[in-house]
């Protein structure tokens, strides 16, 4: 059995900072030889203050109807291309405030979503990965780089315990604009608590290649954090976190070599079953054949 897959993606059709239609994302995945692809547009946010700059002019009602249209289109594509690729219909969460977390279960039930990528993009209600200016503002509100790192991982732990997501998204995203900041004992303790919560709930951690696109040394999680997760007994899955068709499976050749270097021999692959989507352990060597054929890396 050979396959390449991703569990986390966005499109310009339903995400303001993406490009291209959802169907173009799916067709790109098919063209590249992926056998499984997860669609995981952002959950709608419920406060005007949580809209991003590229959503200027939109309302929270616009986000809600956009998400509804996403689910309808995702189902159409899942049926249309079922003989060529296995699509999974999910959602990436946000944690702007408590109400944001509490609305996830309702959204999953309302839209019969198949899985959730649980992520944190805000600290103290401020975005931490949209741009460096926004991160610096949030950092100043927290008082130090150490403090914003700690609070991020505390949010991560809270999100994991509340949602028990199938997938934990870009676990150390907080490092995007401060990649060389030291992981102090306080930061490491907070990250370890979050990791243990995810492992206890059976969540898998994505190894997310978008960090390479953003100039970091490795995918999320960075190698030091990834080794901590390995030591704690974490399970891993793979994602490109693509936001346009050209970035589907981007850096997957490099990812395959990265997995081998870090002695990650098994990753967890999504699979539809009668009881829902489950993540099945699969040997990395069984992924290698198609990964090596991916042409645009």
């Amino acid at each position: 059995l050979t396959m390449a897959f991703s569990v986390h993606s966005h499109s310009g059709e339903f995400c303001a900072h993406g490009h291209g239609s959802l169907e173009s994302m799916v067709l790109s995945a098919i063209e590249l030889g992926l056998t499984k692809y997860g669609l995981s547009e952002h959950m709608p946010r419920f406060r005007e203050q949580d809209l991003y700059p590229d959503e200027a002019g939109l309302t929270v009602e616009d986000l809600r109807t956009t998400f509804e249209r996403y689910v309808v289109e995702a189902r159409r594509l899942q049926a249309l291309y079922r003989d060529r690729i296995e699509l999974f219909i999910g959602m990436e969460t946000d944690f702007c405030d408590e109400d944001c977390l509490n609305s996830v279960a309702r959204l999953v039930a309302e839209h019969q979503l198949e899985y959730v990528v649980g992520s944190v993009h805000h600290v103290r209600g401020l975005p931490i990965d949209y741009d460096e200016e926004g991160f610096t503002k949030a950092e100043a509100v927290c008082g130090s780089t150490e403090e914003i790192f700690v609070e991020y991982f505390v949010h991560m732990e809270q999100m994991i315990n509340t949602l028990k997501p199938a997938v934990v998204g870009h676990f150390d995203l907080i490092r995007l604009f401060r990649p060389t900041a030291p992981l102090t004992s306080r930061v490491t303790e907070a990250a370890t608590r979050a990791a243990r919560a995810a492992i206890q709930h059976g969540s898998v951690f994505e190894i997310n290649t978008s960090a390479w696109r953003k100039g970091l040394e490795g995918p999320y999680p960075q190698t030091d954090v990834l080794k901590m997760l390995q030591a704690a007994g974490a399970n891993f899955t793979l994602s490109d976190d693509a936001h346009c068709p050209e970035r589907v499976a981007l850096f997957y050749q490099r990812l395959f070599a990265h997995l081998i270097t870090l002695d990650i021999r098994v990753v967890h692959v999504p699979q539809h079953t009668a009881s829902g989507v489950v993540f099945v352990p699969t040997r990395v060597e069984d992924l290698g054949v198609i990964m090596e054929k991916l042409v645009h890396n």
Side-chain angles (χ1 to χ4, degrees), residues 216-266:
L216 300 186
E217 285 190 10
Y220 303 114
Q222 298 296 294
T223 298
D224 50 0
V225 170
L226 192 143
K227 286 181 175 177
M228 178 270 282
L229 293 173
Q230 280 180 289
N235 292 322
F236 300 101
T237 190
L238 307 179
S239 87
D240 54 27
D241 197 356
H243 284 62
C244 62
E246 296 78 18
R247 291 174 178 167
V248 172
L250 190 61
F251 294 118
Y252 262 38
Q253 275 185 313
R254 192 188 295 188
L255 174 61
F256 183 60
H258 187 71
L259 297 174
I260 300 303
T261 299
L262 290 170
D263 199 33
I264 295 175
R265 301 297 178 179
V266 171

Side-chain angles (χ1 to χ4, degrees), residues 14 42 44 61-75 106-107 110-111:
F14 302 109
H42 288 284
E61 180 63 19
D62 293 329
L63 297 190
R64 188 182 66 78
T65 56
T66 295
F67 191 80
E68 290 173 354
R69 288 191 296 106
Y70 152 64
V71 176
V72 170
E73 175 66 355
R75 289 227 171 83
R106 177 178 57 76
L107 287 166
E110 180 183 341
H111 298 289

